[in-house]
Amino acid sequence: MKKLYLFSFFLSFYFTQAQFNQDAPWMQNLNTEQRRSSNPVTFQEIVNAFDNYWETRDPNIKGSGYKPFKRWEVFWKDFVKKDGTLPTQKELWNTWLAYRAQEQNKSVLSDLSNWQPIGPFNHVNTGSWSSGQGRVNSIIVDPLVPTTYYAGAPAGGIWKSTDSGLTWTPLSDQLPQIGVSGIAIDYNDSNIIYIATGDDDANDSFSVGVMKSIDGGATWDTTDLNTSNSPSSMNDIYMNPNDSDMLWVATSGGVYKTIDGGTNWVEKLNGNIK
């Protein structure tokens, strides 16, 4: 019970710690074996493959993926299931739903603080290859209201500005902490927005599928491409300029297409599509 509680407590961290790069060189043999077998790869198999790969290589090379994997390993070793595998996207999403339902039954106090960002908003490059406070995966301008922008962050969800970027409001605080790598807005009704979830760069967050809003981002619902069938990460999402109900999304599991505004998605191309 204690482990389940901690699991629920740390659920939001899953979307920032969840996945290392599935295309990493030490994963190649495991990916091939998994395609040949119906058995899922276990946590220990992944760790063993990683350790074997680095026996004859230098882990100090920048950008090698060594340090991100070790952080991933330390975080997830306590959440391995009895069969040796890690929780699935659907299991984590259902845990979040159960946690949210539990919280709604409690008396929650709000608006007790008045925090404002004070910086730094600018910084000097210190020589680090990533000397910044964060990064943005995608940004899009409302096709009908040119002063309204939407931005998607790797693990911070989706944000909206109605004053050409002077101020920003988070739109996904009621969701588990998710990344957003693609945004599409209906050019007939810009209250309709689609987001491709998950981080497509460093896998800082896990995908929960394509989500849709019909009220300008105030609320979000899952589509037919969700935690039951979603690939582990998503990239860009595109809308047909002549038919706003037709969209394509590129994912780690192929290209998916909908012709009914997300009610149904069909895989049109297999593979890890960047």
Side-chain angles (χ1 to χ4, degrees):
M1 186 57 130
K2 181 179 180 182
K3 188 173 182 180
L4 179 61
Y5 172 78
L6 291 173
F7 184 72
S8 301
F9 178 79
F10 285 111
L11 177 62
S12 63
F13 290 99
Y14 177 78
F15 298 92
T16 58
Q17 300 277 355
Q19 276 285 21
F20 52 88
N21 185 357
Q22 67 177 24
D23 291 327
W26 56 85
M27 289 295 297
Q28 299 307 309
N29 290 336
L30 282 180
N31 290 337
T32 301
E33 293 172 3
Q34 186 179 26
R35 285 193 291 268
R36 294 173 181 171
S37 171
S38 59
N39 296 325
V41 176
T42 66
F43 174 81
Q44 193 57 50
E45 286 174 334
I46 296 173
V47 172
N48 291 343
F50 176 86
D51 291 339
N52 291 336
Y53 176 84
W54 286 103
E55 282 183 354
T56 58
R57 292 172 173 84
D58 181 7
N60 296 315
I61 298 175
K62 286 187 177 181
S64 66
Y66 184 89
K67 290 182 179 179
F69 181 92
K70 298 304 289 185
R71 289 194 293 267
W72 175 89
E73 179 185 355
V74 169
F75 182 87
W76 282 104
K77 64 183 176 64
D78 293 327
F79 299 104
V80 178
K81 299 191 296 182
K82 290 183 179 180
D83 63 359
T85 64
L86 290 173
T88 65
Q89 299 158 249
K90 186 174 183 179
E91 288 170 332
L92 288 164
W93 183 258
N94 288 339
T95 301
W96 163 255
L97 293 178
Y99 172 78
R100 186 175 65 176
Q102 183 182 35
E103 288 299 299
Q104 288 175 344
N105 292 329
K106 295 180 180 179
S107 175
V108 179
L109 298 178
S110 61
D111 299 325
L112 294 181
S113 62
N114 186 27
W115 288 88
Q116 298 293 329
I118 60 171
F121 301 111
N122 297 292
H123 60 276
V124 177
N125 194 317
T126 59
S128 169
W129 65 275
S130 60
S131 56
Q133 283 80 45
R135 57 187 171 90
V136 171
N137 278 343
S138 58
I139 186 167
I140 189 171
V141 179
D142 189 316
L144 301 180
V145 186
T147 55
T148 295
Y149 303 166
Y150 294 88
I158 182 170
W159 295 69
K160 180 177 183 178
S161 172
T162 58
D163 52 14
S164 301
L166 293 177
T167 59
W168 292 86
T169 301
L171 300 180
S172 51
D173 280 356
Q174 302 308 313
L175 298 174
Q177 187 183 31
I178 59 173
V180 173
S181 290
I183 308 171
I185 303 176
D186 192 324
Y187 43 79
N188 295 311
D189 180 359
S190 56
N191 283 317
I192 300 176
I193 307 167
Y194 301 85
I195 55 174
T197 65
D199 178 28
D200 65 349
D201 182 14
N203 292 108
D204 282 342
S205 56
F206 208 87
S207 175
V208 294
V210 173
M211 302 195 78
K212 179 178 181 178
S213 173
I214 60 173
D215 52 16
T219 59
W220 296 91
D221 288 313
T222 55
T223 66
D224 179 53
L225 195 57
N226 52 51
T227 55
S228 297
N229 56 4
S230 174
S232 60
S233 67
M234 292 188 165
N235 304 291
D236 293 314
I237 184 168
Y238 295 99
M239 181 177 290
N240 187 328
N242 299 313
D243 182 356
S244 61
D245 283 332
M246 183 183 296
L247 299 97
W248 296 264
V249 60
T251 78
S252 60
V255 173
Y256 290 79
K257 178 182 179 181
T258 179
I259 59 174
D260 51 18
T263 302
N264 296 282
W265 290 89
V266 177
E267 183 181 349
K268 306 300 289 186
L269 179 66
N270 201 347
N272 187 3
I273 308 301
K274 299 295 187 183

